[in-house]
Amino acid sequence: MDKSSTLEYINQMFPTEASLSGVEPLMQKIKSEINHVDSGILAAVRQQSNSGTKAKEDLAAATRAVEELMYKIREIKSKAEQSETMVQEICRDIKKLDFAKKHVTTTITALHRLTMLVSAVEQLQVMASKRQYKEAAAQLEAVNQLCSHFEAYRDIPKITELREKFKNIKQILKSHVFSDFSSLGTGKETEETNLLRQLSDACLVVDSLEPSVREELVNNFCSRELTSYEQIFEGAELAKLDKTERRYAWIKRRIRTNEEIWKIFPPSWHVPYRLCIQFCKKTRKQLEEILDNMKEKPDVGTLLMALQRTLEFEDELAEKFGGGTRSREIGNEIEEIGTGQGSSQSISDIRKKYEKKLAAHQDSGTEEHDRNKDLSVPGAGFNFRGIISSCFEPHLIIYIELEEKTLMENLEKLVQEETWDIEEGSQNNVLSSSMQLFLIIKRSLKRCSALTKNQTLFNLFKVFQRILKAYATKLFARLPRGGTGLVAAATGMDGQIKTSDRDERVICYIVNSAEYCHKTSGELAESISKIIDSQLADGVDMSEVQDEFSAVITRALVTLVHGLETKFDAEMAAMTRVLWGTLESVGDQSEYVNGINMILTSSIPVLGSLLSPIYFQFFLDKLASSLGPRFYANIFKCKHISETGAQQMLLDTQAVKTILLEIPALGRQTSGAASYSKFVSREMSKAEALLKVILSPVDSVADTYRALLPEGTPMEFQRILELKGLKKADQQSILDDLNKHGPGITQPSVVPSVVPAAPAAPIAPAIPSPASVGLIGSREDVLARAAALGRGAATTGFKRFLALTEAAKDRKDGPFRKLFNA
């Protein structure tokens, strides 16, 4: 304990004078504890001293024990070496005798086997000369086994002589067997009853010979069987495409007729399988020559009939012998087109797809190794499907041309019969021609996929692309167009689009049909990519077609907006005919506002019920971006606007703004109402700002213009002065004042909210000029000018104006917003 803690301990133990009486007992207690600790230390030191001495004694004892053990081990090792020497001396003679016995046994065994080999070769020679095939087969096996024991004695003359003799005997057996099999199929098997049994025994001999002998025999037999086929179908009468079915009938009849006779061949030889392979190769070669040597294009019906019969024959062979797989899910893939199920794959489907690709990639490395498996056993790598039918592939272009012609005729018929209306109770509001067109395409795809899945199917896919693009053009042509010609240009109607209520419904149907075609064409491409050969799957893409239908949708919606704009022409003209300069008081909203409301009330509910939410939102954005600037520009078309007239126009502007804001609810689609409302407020705030400038006093109109319309131009400001009724002489001094202070605050032009077709590019905010900053700084002056805008107005109009001023607070940018934030 340090000094301070010691003092604290003493003060704690003896806090008062009275407690000092306990010092003596405490001292006695401490001394007793010290003595106890000293005794313990002394005992521990003594014990440690004794332990060290004992440890030394134990170590010395262990060292002595190890030395005794090492001595005993050396003694044992010496005795073991002596014993080993003694045993070797005893067994030296026995080992020599053992080697001698082993060599004698080997010699006796070799001589015995040599005797057996000589005897077996002589017996085999006799059997071969007498054509005793059954006995010779067993003897061949025995000789082969005996010869295997003499592989190490190949250089001995006697062994070499026997091997040459055995080789000659096998050659004789081979020639006898081939000679006997040459009579098979000539009719001798019916005359000589023992011939079939003899040939069956000969097969046993062939199995005992080299594998190449069996291959040669089977190939010779198949070639001899197909000789008559080549002679029959190379003639002028049957070497025609329409006789293709008779080729397959010939081989099936041949197999059925000789089924009993061919049972002489062992099942492991797979003679019918090998015969069918050679038949398919010869048939393909002959059909290629027929198709290439045709002077004119073959008849489509004949070509397709021959291909169909070929495919059926290949399916029969594949089912009979195995090998090759044909997808049984093609019909399901095609049926999913237009149902919306094609794009929703389960995890297991995706996993199977990529496992299949991986397996195909791994199998490509072993293709060379498996190339010869087509002549071994059924299903071991040879694929009957496509072995003959693939020769038709280069000549199916006429079939594709016929399909394209048929599809185009059906398209023209569908468009001609289209009523451009929807039956009552329809759920999707899609034109019947769209659904019928895809039904026809699905039937065409089924027909082609049943014939081929290679280049021809890819060519048909290209045809589908052209047909769908043509249909998109038909939909585009059906949209209402503006007036053309001299009369339209003279009346100012050139380019204007007039739409009736039925036209608006038709446009909505076109939008829905184009959307349906956009989606279904993607499903069609996905289904074809699953069916077609994997090497062509990457080229199956409908993006161009989908772009065509997207363009139709965009054009249709823009046409819809232009049609409504044309309906607004009369109301806009009525707005300019109002005598705003002589208006005495502010009342209810004007008649042209009621007309705008009536137009929207009659059209919007129908459009909202027919269009999907995303396209209805697109339409609303386009409508607001068109009507807002047009209303702003229409104010400049008026003649003279008095203060009361400006107040009334402010009231009308607020009414139009309210009407536009109620459109989503009117169309019963409010999913994007928030962004649309913000967009409408920004667009209409320009017209409100313009009217506030017109309401401002003459002496402060320039400052108000710079504050509220910083993006305005001098020409626009001069027109405002004309609307206020100022003469040319009075305008000059105000214009000079505007030019003296320089341009107003520049700010980004208002861009519409998100539009699906063309998102707006970002615009960098402009830096305020020094003059504009000074303008903002004079907050009291601008507020005074803004308060003076309502001077002299009627009570109702002034309240409406105050409401409009409060609405301006919703703006997020511009100098006017900064005044409210100050």
Side-chain angles (χ1 to χ4, degrees), residues 709-776:
L709 294 173
E711 70 277 9
T713 63
M715 293 182 61
E716 190 178 90
F717 180 67
Q718 186 176 3
R719 178 58 185 150
I720 291 174
L721 297 179
E722 293 175 359
L723 290 175
K724 290 178 69 65
L726 296 178
K727 297 179 180 180
K728 292 290 185 180
D730 298 333
Q731 293 179 14
Q732 191 59 43
S733 60
I734 300 175
L735 288 172
D736 293 341
D737 180 57
L738 179 70
N739 294 330
K740 179 180 178 182
H741 288 82
I745 297 174
T746 58
Q747 64 179 10
S749 58
V750 179
V751 295
S753 58
V754 178
V755 178
I763 303 175
I767 301 174
S769 63
S772 64
V773 174
L775 178 63
I776 297 173

Side-chain angles (χ1 to χ4, degrees), residues 680-728:
V680 169
S681 299
R682 286 202 302 265
E683 289 293 325
M684 296 304 296
S685 63
K686 295 180 181 180
E688 294 172 354
L690 174 60
L691 293 172
K692 292 174 186 177
V693 173
I694 296 174
L695 275 170
S696 63
V698 176
D699 57 348
S700 61
V701 66
D703 293 337
T704 308
Y705 179 72
R706 281 194 297 269
L708 299 182
L709 294 173
E711 70 277 9
T713 63
M715 293 182 61
E716 190 178 90
F717 180 67
Q718 186 176 3
R719 178 58 185 150
I720 291 174
L721 297 179
E722 293 175 359
L723 290 175
K724 290 178 69 65
L726 296 178
K727 297 179 180 180
K728 292 290 185 180

